Amino acid sequence: MSSHSDGSTKAIFYALGANGGIAISKFAAAAFTGSGAMLAEAIHSLADCVNQIFLLLGLKEAQRPVDASHPMGYGRVVYFWAMMVALLLFFMGGAFSVLEGIKHLDHPEPIKNPLVAIAVLGISVLLEGFSLYGAMKEIRKISGGKSFFTWFRETRQSELMVVAGEDIAALAGLAIAFFAVSLSVVTGNPFWDAAGSILVGILLMIIAFFVIREVKAMITGESAAPEVNAAIKAHIENHPQVDHVINLITLQWGDQLMIAVQAKMQAQASDVALIAAINEVEESLQEQWPHAKWCFFEPDIDSSKE
């Protein structure tokens, strides 16, 4: 497993451990207090636990060896599991929370033992903060100094993107739940608790939408990150055996990379020398980018410059 996958696995285990403890405490608090916002948060944390298990399954399946029906391996299966996680976040987390809030609007119930609910929310913030810290720590290792939002749009690591998105949604949802419970206690009006549940659900669905959009692009087939593409092209054109690159295609394949190059080569003494020159370029590419498992190189004439 590559270092990138190792980083994603660490972040997933951070999140799984935090969300497991949070889910148990929230369900207990929801039963004890009768808070709809707390129940919505408990369901959200349970969905997050299932999500992390899905992501681990995806990373494990991606390591399956190449076979006749999958000649380029199973690396992109992680995108399927990331999409499943995003849908689960949308429906089980977001939609359920909205429905739960609507139900409490129709049948309002006062919150019992609000201090318990507030204490659990406080503990949950600490645990979710720990999970987000773990995810951001791994992101900083690979982001190359980019802002989080730029990294989110350009990353090809679906599992790490999903974990970070979940953690951000969780912390924002906890803040909403905290204010909703507090307002219900201060005003004595259970409306705020129900409204908090609905707002948490809407927030989860919004974040799930952005995650789904990014994962859809990965499933469709995305190139390597822009700076990687530029670096690969520069590396090829700086090679003494290459005149210039005519066309370059990269395709992210899970944690691995496919490179297809069409280039005009420097004049060679024979076809054997040309093949040796191409092999030299391919070897240098795979030495510089070890995760570039496939490299297809086509020497050609650039008719546009003739």
Side-chain angles (χ1 to χ4, degrees), residues 7-8 10-12 14-16 19 44 48 51-52 55 85 89 128-140 142 148-149 151-153 155 157-172 204 207-208 211:
S8 296
K10 288 178 185 177
I12 293 169
Y14 281 136
L16 182 59
N19 285 315
H44 171 205
D48 282 351
N51 290 346
Q52 272 99 54
L55 293 176
V85 166
L89 182 66
E128 285 290 1
F130 167 75
S131 177
L132 181 59
Y133 169 78
M136 296 302 293
K137 180 180 177 181
E138 299 303 326
I139 289 169
R140 283 193 294 270
I142 60 173
F148 173 78
F149 294 105
W151 173 86
F152 189 91
R153 289 301 311 274
T155 184
Q157 282 192 265
S158 59
E159 61 284 355
L160 192 51
M161 177 190 69
V162 169
V163 170
E166 279 182 346
D167 288 342
I168 291 170
L171 282 171
L204 293 178
I207 291 181
V211 172

Side-chain angles (χ1 to χ4, degrees), residues 227-249:
E227 70 275 8
V228 175
N229 254 13
I232 289 173
K233 183 177 180 181
H235 177 87
I236 296 170
E237 292 192 323
N238 287 333
H239 198 282
Q241 304 287 12
V242 177
D243 185 279
H244 66 272
V245 172
I246 301 170
N247 193 24
L248 171 66
I249 296 173

